[in-house]
Amino acid sequence: MKVFFTKLPRVTLLIILASLALALINATADEILWRGVYIREFSGSLFMGYLYPTFGFAIWHLAPQA
């Protein structure tokens, strides 16, 4: 965390805008994949439509924390 604060004064407007754009694209694609696609394509299946994407979403978001 110390490294983050030492580099904070060097952040430019371009870096902030690029980070915001990347976050918006990533978050939107993430929701479309894990909530939209599986639920729509497998709406008749409890496992493939709801449980699989729930576990996949959780595992997908645990990896960066490791």
Side-chain angles (χ1 to χ4, degrees):
M1 192 62 115
K2 183 179 178 181
V3 174
F4 173 78
F5 289 112
T6 60
K7 300 206 184 271
L8 198 56
R10 297 187 343 202
V11 173
T12 65
L13 181 61
L14 180 62
I15 292 171
I16 292 171
L17 293 176
S19 298
L20 287 173
L22 182 61
L24 286 172
I25 292 168
N26 184 46
T28 303
D30 198 36
E31 292 299 320
I32 289 171
L33 171 66
W34 292 111
R35 293 180 194 243
V37 173
Y38 284 97
I39 291 172
R40 191 179 93 200
E41 293 298 318
F42 302 106
S43 60
S45 171
L46 176 65
F47 178 75
M48 286 301 292
Y50 298 96
L51 297 178
Y52 177 73
T54 299
F55 292 122
F57 183 85
I59 292 169
W60 181 269
H61 288 85
L62 283 176
Q65 304 300 321

